[in-house]
Amino acid sequence: MAPRMPEQPTWALDVLGALDAGILLLDRHCRVLYWNNWMEQASTLTVREMLGHDLFDALPNLRESRLHIAVRDTLATGAPGVLSHTLNPMLFPLRLPDGRRMVHNVVIRPLPSHAQPAFSQSAHAQQAGSEARCLIQVTDVTASVNRERVLREQRDARYRAIVDTAPDAIVTTDTRGMVQWMNGTATRQFDYHPNELIGQNVAVLLGDDAPDWVAMAEHSGPAESGGPEAATQPVELSGRRRDGSHIDLELSMARWESEGRSFITGILRDITERRRTREELRTSALAMRQLAEQTKATLDALPAFIAVLDRSGRIVSVNRAWAEAGPETTFLGQGCIVGDDYLDHCGRGETADPRADSVMEGLRTLLSEGGPPVSAEYVTNNQHWYRCLAAPMPAGPFGGTVLMHIDVTEIKSMEAALRKLVGQKSTLLREVNHRVKNSLQLVSSLLTLQTLSLPDEGMRVHFQDARSRIEAIARVHNRLYQADQFQTIEFGTYLNELCEDLARASGGDSMCDIVVRSDVIDLPIDHAAPLGLIANELITNAVKHRGNGPARVTVTFRRAADQLALTVSDRGPGLPSNFDIRKSRSLGMRLISSLAGQIRASVDIDTTPQGTTFRIELPVPDAVPLLETSSTEEIEG
């Protein structure tokens, strides 16, 4: 007689009712077993209206919603579910005390099927004590969502203040090129009054030879992140002030959307002084560039970011990848170009990896004192990995160093993803084999219990045979669970364990003597399981039909060239001389024939009055693909 469960505490319902969260319990038919006070107040649906009724009949708008699907999944698989208000707009129809819609999250947890309900409001809960159930918890997040909205609005206000005081002119237009907004710097740079250009075409600010504003924005493809579209590469052009004078500009553009409308924002930087300085540098460095032209063509073809520094650390030349690098490549020194002091620019930047500082220190030492090349990897604040290489150039016309930054982020990500994937796959395979082994052992235990209750000796023998076959398969999955790799098992060790278990189950040394001789051979599970079942059948038959004395069984498993051979020999009374395994009515012999067909194995039988030898030969698994598994009808004849 099963022991009685202790009485549940009388304050359980009071605790659940006092929780500042919705709690409801469903049985496997989605009928409501519990509906606490919080849910009653938030939904205006009383306990009397909900108890014993299908939740999704009471709330028909939720039927076949994501919530309904998640509840069914939890009841069917036992896996918990979490539904967020941001991704699941169709949740419970709940209201705050002031009538506003309640923003809430839902957590669905399974309850163990063997436990009695810790609380009940009706007889339905008592009847569902042994069935699958799930507990649903509803949490009010309205306050936190409103708080986040306020913070976001404050942050947007700060951003607007920063943009309005930026040192570069910023102009926003619609997709027709009509000015919608411009910051204070733009009004000062082009000498217009605030809001004077609102509604006019942006071409008023550009020179006659400037490219079309809208066409340049269309040239930038959509961003992968789904936010603002990718900014174009900076373009230098001429602008026009109110008085008609020209100004040299560098234009960077980006498209973005808000409330279903598209906009174009351009940053117009005054580069008049920078262009003059750059022209002077180009003139003075003409001879140097001619000398390096052939080398630069080669460097431009490389995906690495390469620069040549003189002895003082000033950039003399860069390759194409460096020149076209975007703002995310912070190691470039915040946009430094030819003629800039690289060490000075990089000294202002920040990286997430202290190793970047050691790279810069090594580069300074290399420039000032010489020495061996510098090589190191580091990661930046935007989680980009780089490998830095710096080598001295003492024989060059200006000395200095060749500096190379190689973006290895993708390689690092792939390595991390592969390591994670391998770990997850190994864990999953180990767990699958463990669960299959446990399930098969449970079936074996059930058969053992059933065998003990059978009065007929003949029926018990059939149940014992079935249990032996199940344990042979479970032993394969046990080996896979214990191994470091899950695609193959070492079949010789498996045979030894199988024979030891069969000898023990048959009465020990007094009833049988099983000798195993095997090479070390790894077999995939699709071959190991059928071959293990064949060995189990042959050894069991040899012990069962041993005659008067103890069984003497020899099991060998060998590899010769591209063939594998499993041999089981006994000294029993033998088989009839006209025995044909394909015509045998024995289930064991039909199993052997069918399983051998699965792995393309041949079965040879040598029988004498002093014993029988079964020889199973099959190709090495890597050389021959497996056939499809035989059906149940084929085994049963």
Side-chain angles (χ1 to χ4, degrees):
M1 183 175 180
R4 296 188 60 184
M5 299 297 292
E7 294 294 333
Q8 301 297 333
T10 57
W11 40 261
L13 289 176
D14 295 335
V15 171
L16 293 174
L19 288 176
D20 191 18
I23 302 294
L24 57 151
L25 178 67
L26 304 182
D27 65 8
R28 64 186 182 93
H29 300 293
C30 295
R31 291 192 296 259
V32 178
L33 303 179
Y34 181 76
W35 186 268
N36 76 338
N37 296 336
W38 192 96
M39 287 296 298
E40 186 174 17
Q41 295 172 4
S43 66
T44 69
L45 295 173
T46 65
V47 174
R48 183 181 299 276
E49 292 174 320
M50 297 303 296
L51 284 185
H53 295 283
D54 188 309
L55 175 65
F56 302 101
D57 286 342
L59 299 172
N61 290 338
L62 296 182
R63 185 169 295 280
E64 300 305 326
S65 66
R66 183 66 188 88
L67 175 64
H68 192 182
I69 295 171
V71 168
R72 286 196 308 229
D73 289 345
T74 299
L75 290 172
T77 66
V82 178
L83 300 181
S84 169
H85 69 280
T86 58
L87 301 177
N88 300 275
M90 286 294 292
L91 294 177
F92 289 99
L94 304 179
R95 296 287 176 178
L96 295 170
D98 58 5
R100 289 180 298 138
R101 178 180 175 272
M102 179 187 295
V103 182
H104 58 280
N105 295 336
V106 174
V107 178
I108 307 168
R109 297 186 178 90
L111 293 182
S113 60
H114 58 78
Q116 294 295 328
F119 44 82
S120 61
Q121 294 175 329
S122 72
H124 295 283
Q126 300 297 336
Q127 296 172 0
S130 60
E131 298 177 349
R133 305 182 308 279
C134 69
L135 181 73
I136 302 179
Q137 177 180 340
V138 183
T139 306
D140 181 6
V141 295
T142 307
S144 60
V145 170
N146 290 337
R147 183 167 56 253
E148 291 175 0
R149 178 180 54 79
V150 171
L151 292 175
R152 184 168 58 252
E153 292 175 351
Q154 293 176 349
R155 183 177 64 249
D156 291 344
R158 288 196 298 270
Y159 288 161
R160 286 194 296 271
I162 293 172
V163 169
D164 197 46
T165 58
D168 297 325
I170 302 177
V171 179
T172 296
T173 72
D174 59 17
T175 53
R176 300 173 301 165
M178 298 300 176
V179 176
Q180 305 295 309
W181 176 85
M182 55 196 304
N183 68 345
T185 303
T187 60
R188 294 188 296 271
Q189 183 169 287
F190 294 99
D191 197 22
Y192 282 94
H193 297 294
N195 300 326
E196 186 176 355
L197 292 180
I198 302 301
Q200 297 192 43
N201 197 292
V202 72
V204 176
L205 304 177
L206 305 178
D208 296 333
D209 58 345
D212 182 72
W213 177 274
V214 177
M216 286 189 294
E218 292 291 342
H219 185 66
S220 62
E224 296 180 358
S225 61
E229 296 186 358
T232 59
Q233 293 292 332
V235 177
E236 293 185 3
L237 45 78
S238 61
R240 183 167 48 201
R241 297 188 179 92
R242 182 171 187 160
D243 59 5
S245 60
H246 289 274
I247 178 175
D248 293 326
L249 300 172
E250 179 183 79
L251 170 63
S252 300
M253 306 180 71
R255 293 189 60 183
W256 53 280
E257 293 187 359
S258 176
E259 299 181 355
R261 296 184 58 194
S262 296
F263 298 92
I264 304 169
T265 294
I267 301 176
L268 299 158
R269 174 172 294 178
D270 185 351
I271 59 169
T272 304
E273 185 63 24
R274 190 175 79 182
R275 177 174 285 184
R276 184 185 63 79
T277 304
R278 187 170 59 198
E279 291 301 325
E280 293 178 354
L281 287 172
R282 285 175 180 172
T283 301
S284 62
L286 178 60
M288 188 180 303
R289 288 199 304 271
Q290 290 175 344
L291 180 64
E293 191 65 33
Q294 184 175 1
T295 303
K296 189 177 187 306
T298 303
L299 298 179
D300 283 344
L302 297 176
F305 304 92
I306 304 173
V308 178
L309 311 182
D310 62 15
R311 291 188 179 92
S312 65
R314 191 173 297 277
I315 297 179
V316 177
S317 176
V318 299
N319 73 337
R320 181 176 301 168
W322 185 297
E324 297 177 353
E328 70 277 4
T329 51
T330 55
F331 65 84
L332 292 180
Q334 301 179 354
C336 57
I337 60 174
V338 172
D340 289 342
D341 187 332
Y342 180 78
L343 298 178
D344 179 59
H345 276 75
C346 285
R348 305 176 202 163
E350 295 182 358
T351 60
D353 196 332
R355 286 174 289 188
D357 297 333
S358 64
V359 171
M360 295 304 301
E361 187 61 32
L363 183 58
R364 290 188 179 92
T365 303
L366 193 63
L367 289 170
S368 60
E369 305 174 7
V374 175
S375 176
E377 290 185 353
Y378 63 93
V379 61
T380 63
N381 278 331
N382 55 8
Q383 298 304 307
H384 274 245
W385 277 91
Y386 293 96
R387 179 178 293 120
C388 175
L389 303 172
M393 287 194 342
F398 41 77
T401 298
V402 174
L403 181 65
M404 180 183 302
H405 290 272
I406 305 173
D407 189 340
V408 295
T409 305
E410 185 174 354
I411 296 175
K412 293 284 187 180
S413 298
M414 291 176 63
E415 290 176 352
L418 285 175
R419 285 193 298 269
K420 181 178 180 181
L421 183 61
V422 169
Q424 290 176 343
K425 183 178 179 181
S426 298
T427 302
L428 178 60
L429 288 174
R430 189 183 298 277
E431 181 64 20
V432 166
N433 285 304
H434 184 55
R435 293 194 177 190
V436 170
K437 185 262 295 182
N438 287 345
S439 298
L440 291 174
Q441 286 183 343
L442 177 60
V443 174
S444 176
S445 299
L446 292 175
L447 288 176
T448 301
L449 293 175
Q450 187 66 37
T451 302
L452 296 176
S453 65
L454 294 174
D456 187 356
E457 179 65 28
M459 292 295 293
R460 287 201 296 268
V461 169
H462 289 305
F463 273 79
Q464 290 170 354
D465 290 344
R467 185 190 65 187
S468 176
R469 292 165 186 146
I470 292 171
E471 288 179 349
I473 300 175
R475 196 173 289 105
V476 172
H477 289 278
N478 187 48
R479 294 294 305 171
L480 289 172
Y481 169 67
Q482 294 174 345
D484 292 332
Q485 50 92 19
F486 310 103
Q487 296 176 337
T488 62
I489 65 172
E490 203 288 291
F491 198 71
T493 304
Y494 170 83
L495 273 181
N496 276 288
E497 293 180 355
L498 175 66
C499 292
E500 289 175 1
D501 289 348
L502 290 176
R504 209 166 26 247
S506 302
D509 296 340
S510 62
M511 299 300 294
C512 63
D513 179 17
I514 305 176
V515 178
V516 181
R517 300 185 182 93
S518 173
D519 294 338
V520 177
I521 301 173
D522 289 332
L523 284 183
I525 184 169
D526 290 337
H527 284 72
L531 201 58
L533 281 173
I534 291 173
N536 180 77
E537 290 295 326
L538 293 175
I539 297 169
T540 301
N541 285 341
V543 176
K544 186 185 303 181
H545 304 291
R546 60 186 179 273
N548 296 327
R552 298 288 185 265
V553 184
T554 302
V555 182
T556 62
F557 186 59
R558 303 295 187 191
R559 174 172 179 169
D562 58 350
Q563 290 288 317
L564 300 176
L566 172 67
T567 304
V568 180
S569 302
D570 64 59
R571 300 181 186 177
L575 294 171
S577 58
N578 61 346
F579 178 80
D580 188 348
I581 190 173
R582 292 171 297 180
K583 298 180 180 179
S584 174
R585 299 184 60 83
S586 167
L587 176 59
M589 291 299 150
R590 282 185 289 164
L591 276 174
I592 293 171
S593 179
S594 178
L595 292 170
Q598 291 183 28
I599 56 178
R600 289 192 172 179
S602 62
V603 181
D604 294 327
I605 305 173
D606 183 13
T607 181
T608 65
Q610 290 76 35
T612 303
T613 298
F614 284 83
R615 182 177 178 83
I616 315 297
E617 290 189 349
L618 66 152
V620 173
D622 292 339
V624 179
L626 292 178
L627 296 176
E628 294 184 0
T629 303
S630 300
S631 64
T632 305
E633 290 80 1
E634 180 183 347
I635 295 176
E636 295 179 351

